[in-house]
Amino acid sequence: MHILIVNDDGPPSPHSSPYVHSLVRELQAAGHVVSVCLPHTQRSWIGKAHMIGQTVKPLYYRPPPPHRPAAGLTPANREDEDDATHGTTHVRPSTRPGVEEWILVDGTPASCVQIGLYHFFQDRGEVDLVVSGPNYGRNTTAVFALSSGTLGGALEAAVCRKRAIALSYAFFSRNHDSEIIAAAGRRGVKVIEALWKAWPEDGSVDLYSVNVPLLEGLEKEKVLITPMLQNYWGAGSCFTEVDGSVDGENEDEERIREDEGRVEEREGQGGEVKGPRPHTHKHFKWSPRFTDVYQSVEEAPPGNDGWAVKEGFTSVTPLKANFFQTATNLHGSELQLGNSQITTGGLTTQESTTQEPPARATTPGPNTQVTLPIRPKPQTTPSSIPHFYALINYEDPYVQPLILSAFTSLFPADSYTLLTPPPTTATPESESNSSLSTFNLPPHAKVLQISPYESIDFEHAASHPNTTLVNSYIIRKALIRKHFLSATVDSWVAKHPSSVLGTHVKRSEAFEVDFAEFLDDALVEAWDLRESMEKNEGVLAEGEGGEVQWWILKPSMSDRGQGIRLFATMEELQGIFDGWEPEEESEEEEDEEEAGGTDGDDGEDRIMASHLRHFVAQPYIHPPLLLPEMDNRKFHVRVYVVAVGSLEVYVYRDMLALFAAKPYTAPGTGGAVSDDGEEIDLDAHLTNTCLQGEDTASKANSVRRFWDLPLPKERAEDVFTQICDVTGELFEAAARGMMVHFQPLECAFEVYGLDFLVDAAGTAWLLEVNAFPDFKQTGDLQGVVAGFWAGVLRLAIVPFVRGSEHGSGDEDHVTLGSDEMVMVRDVDLGRRWGA
């Protein structure tokens, strides 16, 4: 991408700007186009200022050539070397093509952004990202950030509608260790690239403030998303008084003139001095006491940006380009002027009839609470939220910033404390890093945990069910294991023959196979499957006609498309399992594996039936719905669903369509295996984008918003209605019919990814249910995931922190811009809060 670099420390210098050239080189080495516009001298502590009335003039800086060390890091004893060591500055731009040349302007960091964006570098294409920094020093906590020229440059870019990152290096000594600086540059580039890829599409983030600690081993430490610590200066001035005189005047003359003024004043007043005492002439020097700032970090709870850097982590703080908005519960209200009532947050108290009329000003006493006269707005959100704690550690760089963005936009900053998990422990036997007991929370504190399943502190949730909310149920295999899902549907349809599941879920044959040689025994009770394969063998035999019924084989406990195969006959199915069995190995190969050899020369993973064990076989859905505008490629619909408490189920309307890599061709009559024994290319049949590699172009061409597909609106709405009906029925079937294997808890919620295939007749068939779905399959459509999590947090977390029942509001739908979370089932299992 094209990156514009600005800073507030000026051009490379060992004394004031040692890091900028090394970062530019790291970005260039990573393949980015880098343009640089810097102040011609240090402009720290200037914020987002512009110098009004000044004509800004440029200089042209040419950094040292690539074979020289990065400018700014040269030891002091080498400063007498030739100019090429540090770069050269010129009053006119170079006329030679290909010369690396930076722009230096006699302005502020914000001015550098404006000039760099709009007046230079246009021949390189539009700027994609503005990086301000790396600053010579940290910019953690509010005191530093509010005055930072580095933050000011990023803010200016943000209000120019450009994505921006403020990058700062927090040094702990002024020894510029070249290896640590190089590591910081690598870390900075990786963070920049990761933030760019995961940038929220919903406008919730304008810029990021990134602080990298200059410590040995910094690349081994975590990168944490942190809030900015709200701190303040300590008591006293940030300036010290120094002796000084009026510029250009002799101090003695100055004192004489001051004495003369006093004499004239006494004479004019009859010799008697009256009025305020005259000022004493002083000069002032900027000398802030940072001890108070650092002390505020020590005294604050863990989890903020200052704490993260102190502990050696890289901190990333998402920001909006505006002033912090407090009293958000009053937004949308009207300030009533001259009103005789004082109304705040919807609570009204009549003023005392004995007080002075409104026209007369009164001075409030020390215990008087002064409130504004407010006309309340319609209350759709709580007027205040009790303080709670949140551990949000999803451990997925694609999803984590989207969850945090939704979280910080939904809750006022003073209503929660974000908890940061300690560093990863060395042994698996040690206590979980996400154990809530390690945080020494106050008694009865409400705590939210959003983490991977293995990290969730279910024990704490079980012992504190009224004050804990976690993002997964403990037991839910009735839905997410394919053989259990089959049993769930079969059992429910047997008891409810008219259920929609009977016409939207293909009946599966579940079986277990440890070794290929036992396949025939495993299929003894798979009556429908065996009958179908026998019929297919007759159809394929010479002289008999008819249609072959194809089957799809799925390992029950695998994901990401692993092990999925097509077959029609017993011979083909046996061949699939035989192919998964390991070949006999020579002694030399066995020795190699013991020494650490892995996947073999072909680099492909070995799949063994004994590793997968549980399988399901389903009739293959043919023909699928194909769209000529999409090259007639098969696709499935990915639907995001959230189950809340016990039990409300919501479907997110903004669905995805995931396409196969190649145009669809019907399974042939030659079987699932070609004549030479090689498996048929499944790229036309499998729509799981995990199987399509990491090529950006192919992924972008394989994921579409469902509502953007070239489908008639009525047909698309019909598919969505079917999906909602099936989803609601499925969760009720699991909750009521498979209570041992699906146990919704009131102190939990969980998100799922459901996959549906639409056939040529327009019927939506449920394929599978995924817990902790792979959101990365969404690709560049991050706004879909961001909108979904915004709805999840509103539905699951707001009722939790308010202390009311889920669904206590009067809305079945929560509107999120143009998209909706649609309730598809409300099942009362008798475990509701307050029940």
Side-chain angles (χ1 to χ4, degrees):
M1 56 184 154
H2 184 189
I3 299 175
L4 173 64
I5 295 287
V6 301
N7 74 0
D8 69 348
D9 292 327
S13 163
H15 305 293
S16 60
S17 185
Y19 309 135
V20 62
H21 191 206
S22 61
L23 178 69
V24 168
R25 285 186 170 179
E26 288 289 346
L27 289 167
Q28 291 170 334
H32 301 291
V33 176
V34 183
S35 301
V36 185
C37 185
L38 310 177
H40 77 298
T41 188
Q42 189 183 84
R43 296 292 190 192
S44 296
W45 291 91
I46 203 168
K48 201 190 79 65
H50 294 287
M51 295 182 179
I52 303 301
Q54 173 186 334
T55 299
V56 179
K57 299 178 289 295
L59 293 173
Y60 305 91
Y61 171 79
R62 297 167 200 167
H67 66 276
R68 296 277 190 172
L73 295 178
T74 305
N77 60 4
R78 293 182 57 185
E79 289 189 16
D80 57 349
E81 293 188 6
D82 57 278
D83 288 340
T85 300
H86 306 288
T88 56
T89 303
H90 307 266
V91 296
R92 304 293 296 178
S94 173
T95 58
R96 289 188 296 118
V99 173
E100 183 179 7
E101 196 167 62
W102 301 1
I103 306 301
L104 307 181
V105 298
D106 56 345
T108 66
S111 300
C112 292
V113 171
Q114 290 279 343
I115 292 170
L117 287 177
Y118 303 119
H119 301 282
F120 287 99
F121 314 121
Q122 278 75 18
D123 57 325
R124 303 181 183 183
E126 185 177 359
V127 170
D128 300 302
L129 175 70
V130 175
V131 175
S132 184
N135 188 64
Y136 187 13
R138 72 195 67 202
N139 273 311
T140 56
T141 79
V143 166
F144 287 135
L146 287 172
S147 298
S148 167
T150 303
L151 267 294
L155 284 165
E156 184 70 21
V159 296
C160 290
R161 299 182 182 275
K162 292 292 182 181
R163 294 180 178 181
I165 296 173
L167 177 63
S168 305
Y169 289 174
F171 59 80
F172 297 82
S173 77
R174 295 181 182 268
N175 176 25
H176 303 314
D177 185 288
S178 58
E179 294 185 3
I180 294 179
I181 300 304
R186 293 190 297 268
R187 167 56 62 91
V189 170
K190 289 182 179 179
V191 171
I192 289 168
E193 292 176 336
L195 292 177
W196 170 264
K197 292 177 182 177
W199 206 285
E201 298 288 346
D202 60 357
S204 57
V205 175
D206 289 334
L207 68 153
Y208 290 95
S209 176
V210 178
N211 283 270
V212 179
L214 297 185
L215 294 172
E216 187 175 352
L218 68 94
E219 291 179 283
K220 298 178 182 179
E221 299 293 346
K222 293 182 179 181
V223 179
L224 303 179
I225 310 294
T226 63
M228 183 178 293
L229 174 62
Q230 177 64 67
N231 59 351
Y232 304 88
W233 289 119
S237 174
C238 290
F239 288 85
T240 56
E241 298 179 10
V242 295
D243 293 335
S245 60
V246 178
D247 292 341
E249 289 191 353
N250 179 277
E251 290 189 9
D252 292 334
E253 260 186 59
E254 188 178 316
R255 284 193 296 271
I256 292 171
R257 291 183 178 178
E258 288 179 356
D259 290 342
E260 289 176 349
R262 294 191 187 99
V263 170
E264 291 172 354
E265 183 180 8
R266 284 194 298 269
E267 291 177 348
Q269 298 177 354
E272 189 176 334
V273 180
K274 296 181 179 179
R277 298 182 60 184
H279 293 294
T280 301
H281 184 62
K282 304 173 184 178
H283 284 186
F284 305 92
K285 185 176 182 180
W286 173 248
S287 55
R289 299 183 309 280
F290 294 130
T291 304
D292 296 331
V293 180
Y294 297 135
Q295 185 63 31
S296 68
V297 175
E298 296 292 338
E299 295 174 351
N304 60 78
D305 57 348
W307 169 87
V309 170
K310 176 175 69 74
E311 295 296 320
F313 303 123
T314 297
S315 74
V316 176
T317 302
L319 298 171
K320 288 289 291 180
N322 61 8
F323 291 102
F324 182 77
Q325 301 179 56
T326 187
T328 54
N329 60 296
L330 299 182
H331 290 182
S333 304
E334 179 183 354
L335 177 64
Q336 295 291 293
L337 304 179
N339 197 343
S340 61
Q341 290 184 332
I342 297 178
T343 312
T344 303
L347 300 177
T348 304
T349 57
Q350 187 72 33
E351 291 185 354
S352 171
T353 56
T354 59
Q355 71 176 41
E356 296 291 338
R360 179 176 176 179
T362 59
T363 303
N367 297 321
T368 303
Q369 183 178 2
V370 180
T371 49
L372 296 176
I374 297 293
R375 174 181 292 169
K377 63 177 180 179
Q379 293 294 314
T380 57
T381 59
S383 60
S384 63
I385 297 177
H387 195 85
F388 66 101
Y389 295 82
L391 175 60
I392 302 178
N393 187 35
Y394 203 77
E395 296 185 10
D396 184 337
Y398 185 97
V399 185
Q400 175 77 1
L402 302 179
I403 299 176
L404 284 172
S405 175
F407 182 86
T408 55
S409 65
L410 186 60
F411 298 104
D414 59 353
S415 67
Y416 61 85
T417 297
L418 280 177
L419 304 174
T420 302
T424 303
T425 51
T427 61
E429 293 81 8
S430 59
E431 188 176 6
S432 168
N433 288 330
S434 295
S435 174
L436 299 178
S437 62
T438 63
F439 292 99
N440 296 319
L441 299 174
H444 310 298
K446 286 196 172 184
V447 57
L448 161 73
Q449 182 176 10
I450 299 179
S451 300
Y453 182 87
E454 298 78 9
S455 301
I456 296 174
D457 193 344
F458 288 113
E459 182 177 350
H460 182 92
S463 59
H464 301 80
N466 295 322
T467 57
T468 306
L469 183 67
V470 296
N471 64 301
S472 177
Y473 302 126
I474 302 178
I475 299 174
R476 65 272 205 268
K477 59 185 177 182
L479 294 172
I480 67 175
R481 298 303 184 200
K482 297 179 183 65
H483 57 297
F484 277 96
L485 177 63
S486 174
T488 299
V489 173
D490 289 347
S491 175
W492 188 257
V493 173
K495 297 177 182 178
H496 305 82
S498 62
S499 170
V500 68
L501 298 182
T503 54
H504 290 271
V505 183
K506 291 289 186 180
R507 189 175 186 279
S508 300
E509 296 283 1
F511 55 94
E512 296 183 26
V513 180
D514 288 317
F515 299 98
E517 59 188 290
F518 302 133
L519 175 62
D520 192 63
D521 294 336
L523 298 179
V524 169
E525 296 185 4
W527 308 107
D528 292 344
L529 174 59
R530 296 184 71 95
E531 181 182 358
S532 174
M533 290 191 295
E534 292 172 1
K535 181 179 178 181
N536 290 336
E537 290 169 356
V539 170
L540 294 172
E542 186 176 355
E544 293 190 29
E547 183 178 352
V548 173
Q549 181 183 29
W550 285 84
W551 291 76
I552 186 167
L553 177 69
K554 301 177 182 179
S556 182
M557 300 175 68
S558 67
D559 55 12
R560 302 177 67 86
Q562 182 187 32
I564 296 180
R565 300 290 189 270
L566 292 179
F567 69 94
T569 67
M570 184 64 187
E571 181 182 359
E572 293 166 356
L573 183 60
Q574 185 69 59
I576 292 171
F577 280 90
D578 289 341
W580 286 341
E581 288 298 306
E583 299 178 358
E584 293 187 6
E585 299 175 331
S586 65
E587 293 183 3
E588 180 180 346
E589 290 172 326
E590 291 177 355
D591 292 341
E592 179 183 348
E593 286 196 354
E594 290 179 2
T598 53
D599 298 332
D601 295 337
D602 58 4
E604 296 182 356
D605 293 336
R606 292 176 177 172
I607 301 175
M608 296 176 60
S610 59
H611 291 170
L612 302 176
R613 189 176 180 182
H614 297 277
F615 297 87
V616 294
Q618 287 180 321
Y620 186 69
I621 300 172
H622 171 78
L625 176 63
L626 301 175
L627 303 173
E629 298 89 342
M630 301 302 295
D631 300 325
N632 285 324
R633 289 181 295 150
K634 178 181 174 182
F635 69 93
H636 79 264
V637 181
R638 165 54 63 93
V639 184
Y640 291 128
V641 175
V642 59
V644 181
S646 59
L647 174 71
E648 295 175 2
V649 184
Y650 297 84
V651 168
Y652 185 48
R653 184 176 173 83
D654 202 355
M655 305 181 298
L656 301 173
L658 279 65
F659 287 82
K662 297 178 181 178
Y664 181 76
T665 56
T669 57
V673 181
S674 61
D675 294 337
D676 58 4
E678 294 294 328
E679 293 180 359
I680 287 178
D681 184 4
L682 297 175
D683 286 349
H685 300 278
L686 302 186
T687 55
N688 192 320
T689 59
C690 295
L691 303 173
Q692 300 177 17
E694 296 298 329
D695 180 65
T696 304
S698 66
K699 285 291 183 70
N701 197 35
S702 296
V703 183
R704 291 285 190 273
R705 270 192 163 95
F706 173 79
W707 299 103
D708 292 340
L709 297 181
L711 283 172
K713 182 178 179 181
E714 296 79 8
R715 192 170 194 181
E717 289 287 354
D718 179 62
V719 169
F720 180 67
T721 299
Q722 295 179 58
I723 288 173
C724 289
D725 292 343
V726 172
T727 301
E729 187 85 349
L730 177 66
F731 275 81
E732 182 170 1
R736 294 194 186 278
M738 299 288 281
M739 292 180 287
V740 175
H741 302 301
F742 182 57
Q743 299 180 13
L745 302 175
E746 191 60 24
C747 62
F749 68 95
E750 187 159 18
V751 301
Y752 299 89
L754 273 62
D755 293 335
F756 288 83
L757 183 73
V758 183
D759 65 17
T763 301
W765 295 92
L766 174 68
L767 301 180
E768 62 184 31
V769 179
N770 302 277
F772 288 86
D774 183 10
F775 288 105
K776 291 191 293 295
Q777 290 195 54
T778 311
D780 294 334
L781 299 177
Q782 291 172 308
V784 174
V785 181
F788 172 64
W789 274 102
V792 169
L793 268 58
R794 188 178 297 277
L795 289 167
I797 300 177
V798 169
F800 165 69
V801 298
R802 289 170 62 183
S804 58
E805 288 191 31
H806 290 303
S808 59
D810 56 0
E811 296 177 334
D812 286 343
H813 308 280
V814 176
T815 302
L816 303 169
S818 60
D819 305 316
E820 292 178 335
M821 301 289 289
V822 180
M823 177 183 279
V824 296
R825 197 67 51 149
D826 185 359
V827 184
D828 187 357
L829 299 177
R831 297 191 291 272
R832 295 290 173 87
W833 279 334

